[in-house]
Amino acid sequence: MADLSETARTGRRHRHEAIRHEVAAEESEAAEAEAIETSSALDVAMHLRIDKDLADHLRQRADLESIPISALVRRLLRQAMGQLPNVLTADEVADIARRVAREELANR
Protein backbone atom coordinates (compact mmCIF):
# COMPACT_ATOMS: atom_id res chain seq x y z
CA MET A 1 0.00 0.00 0.00
CA ALA A 2 2.90 2.34 0.69
CA ASP A 3 4.15 1.69 -2.82
CA LEU A 4 0.79 2.72 -4.27
CA SER A 5 0.76 5.96 -2.28
CA GLU A 6 4.30 6.77 -3.37
CA THR A 7 3.39 5.97 -6.98
CA ALA A 8 0.32 8.21 -6.73
CA ARG A 9 2.38 11.03 -5.22
CA THR A 10 5.02 10.69 -7.93
CA GLY A 11 2.35 10.80 -10.62
CA ARG A 12 0.75 13.84 -9.02
CA ARG A 13 4.12 15.61 -8.84
CA HIS A 14 4.72 14.93 -12.53
CA ARG A 15 1.24 16.24 -13.46
CA HIS A 16 1.75 19.35 -11.35
CA GLU A 17 5.15 19.96 -12.93
CA ALA A 18 3.59 19.63 -16.40
CA ILE A 19 0.87 22.12 -15.44
CA ARG A 20 3.43 24.58 -14.05
CA HIS A 21 5.44 24.25 -17.27
CA GLU A 22 2.32 24.89 -19.38
CA VAL A 23 1.34 27.95 -17.31
CA ALA A 24 4.89 29.32 -17.53
CA ALA A 25 4.84 28.89 -21.32
CA GLU A 26 1.48 30.69 -21.59
CA GLU A 27 2.69 33.53 -19.35
CA SER A 28 5.82 33.83 -21.45
CA GLU A 29 3.76 34.08 -24.66
CA ALA A 30 1.49 36.69 -23.07
CA ALA A 31 4.47 38.74 -21.88
CA GLU A 32 6.03 38.55 -25.34
CA ALA A 33 2.79 39.68 -27.01
CA GLU A 34 2.50 42.56 -24.54
CA ALA A 35 6.10 43.60 -25.17
CA ILE A 36 5.51 43.60 -28.92
CA GLU A 37 2.33 45.66 -28.48
CA THR A 38 4.10 48.11 -26.18
CA SER A 39 7.13 48.51 -28.42
CA SER A 40 5.01 49.16 -31.49
CA ALA A 41 2.76 51.68 -29.74
CA LEU A 42 3.27 55.34 -30.44
CA ASP A 43 3.57 57.93 -27.74
CA VAL A 44 0.62 59.93 -29.02
CA ALA A 45 -2.47 59.99 -26.84
CA MET A 46 -5.83 60.60 -28.46
CA HIS A 47 -8.94 61.39 -26.49
CA LEU A 48 -12.21 60.43 -28.13
CA ARG A 49 -15.75 61.18 -27.19
CA ILE A 50 -17.97 58.20 -27.85
CA ASP A 51 -21.38 57.17 -26.64
CA LYS A 52 -21.86 54.67 -23.83
CA ASP A 53 -23.12 51.92 -26.16
CA LEU A 54 -19.98 52.09 -28.28
CA ALA A 55 -17.78 52.12 -25.17
CA ASP A 56 -19.59 49.07 -23.80
CA HIS A 57 -19.28 47.28 -27.13
CA LEU A 58 -15.55 48.01 -27.30
CA ARG A 59 -15.05 46.76 -23.72
CA GLN A 60 -16.96 43.55 -24.45
CA ARG A 61 -15.04 42.86 -27.64
CA ALA A 62 -11.69 43.58 -25.99
CA ASP A 63 -12.63 41.22 -23.14
CA LEU A 64 -13.62 38.51 -25.63
CA GLU A 65 -10.27 38.88 -27.39
CA SER A 66 -8.38 39.21 -24.08
CA ILE A 67 -6.64 42.39 -25.16
CA PRO A 68 -6.66 45.94 -23.81
CA ILE A 69 -9.29 48.27 -25.24
CA SER A 70 -6.55 50.56 -26.57
CA ALA A 71 -5.01 47.67 -28.54
CA LEU A 72 -8.42 46.83 -30.01
CA VAL A 73 -9.07 50.46 -30.97
CA ARG A 74 -5.62 50.76 -32.60
CA ARG A 75 -6.25 47.61 -34.61
CA LEU A 76 -9.72 48.75 -35.69
CA LEU A 77 -8.40 52.17 -36.69
CA ARG A 78 -5.58 50.62 -38.70
CA GLN A 79 -8.02 48.33 -40.46
CA ALA A 80 -10.37 51.20 -41.20
CA MET A 81 -7.58 53.41 -42.51
CA GLY A 82 -6.44 50.64 -44.83
CA GLN A 83 -9.94 50.18 -46.21
CA LEU A 84 -11.00 53.78 -46.58
CA PRO A 85 -9.64 56.03 -49.29
CA ASN A 86 -7.95 59.26 -48.23
CA VAL A 87 -10.74 61.75 -48.87
CA LEU A 88 -9.63 64.56 -46.56
CA THR A 89 -7.52 67.41 -47.81
CA ALA A 90 -4.57 68.77 -45.83
CA ASP A 91 -6.64 71.84 -44.92
CA GLU A 92 -9.48 69.67 -43.61
CA VAL A 93 -7.05 67.67 -41.48
CA ALA A 94 -5.53 70.89 -40.13
CA ASP A 95 -9.02 72.19 -39.28
CA ILE A 96 -9.84 68.98 -37.43
CA ALA A 97 -6.55 69.10 -35.53
CA ARG A 98 -7.22 72.71 -34.48
CA ARG A 99 -10.74 71.82 -33.33
CA VAL A 100 -9.48 68.86 -31.30
CA ALA A 101 -6.77 71.03 -29.72
CA ARG A 102 -9.37 73.68 -28.80
CA GLU A 103 -11.60 71.02 -27.24
CA GLU A 104 -8.67 69.58 -25.28
CA LEU A 105 -7.77 73.04 -23.94
CA ALA A 106 -11.38 73.83 -23.10
CA ASN A 107 -11.71 70.60 -21.08
CA ARG A 108 -8.69 71.29 -18.86
Side-chain angles (χ1 to χ4, degrees):
M1 188 173 237
D3 291 334
L4 182 57
S5 293
E6 187 60 34
T7 303
R9 276 183 255 166
T10 301
R12 190 176 320 124
R13 278 193 298 268
H14 288 299
R15 285 191 306 277
H16 288 182
E17 183 61 33
I19 291 169
R20 280 193 294 273
H21 179 71
E22 184 178 340
V23 168
E26 289 175 0
E27 287 177 354
S28 175
E29 289 174 14
E32 183 179 337
E34 185 177 340
I36 290 169
E37 177 71 28
T38 301
S39 69
S40 67
L42 298 176
D43 293 328
V44 177
M46 293 188 82
H47 303 277
L48 305 172
R49 292 185 179 162
I50 58 175
D51 60 57
K52 185 176 178 346
D53 290 338
L54 180 56
D56 291 341
H57 182 73
L58 288 170
R59 273 190 211 92
Q60 289 172 356
R61 185 161 169 187
D63 286 343
L64 284 173
E65 296 184 27
S66 299
I67 59 174
I69 295 172
S70 58
L72 173 65
V73 170
R74 280 192 299 274
R75 188 180 69 210
L76 293 172
L77 286 171
R78 285 187 182 113
Q79 288 173 350
M81 295 303 294
Q83 295 172 358
L84 297 175
N86 184 9
V87 294
L88 296 176
T89 66
D91 289 336
E92 290 171 324
V93 171
D95 289 341
I96 292 169
R98 282 191 289 275
R99 186 181 73 225
V100 169
R102 280 193 305 271
E103 289 176 4
E104 289 288 322
L105 291 173
N107 289 328
R108 287 186 181 188

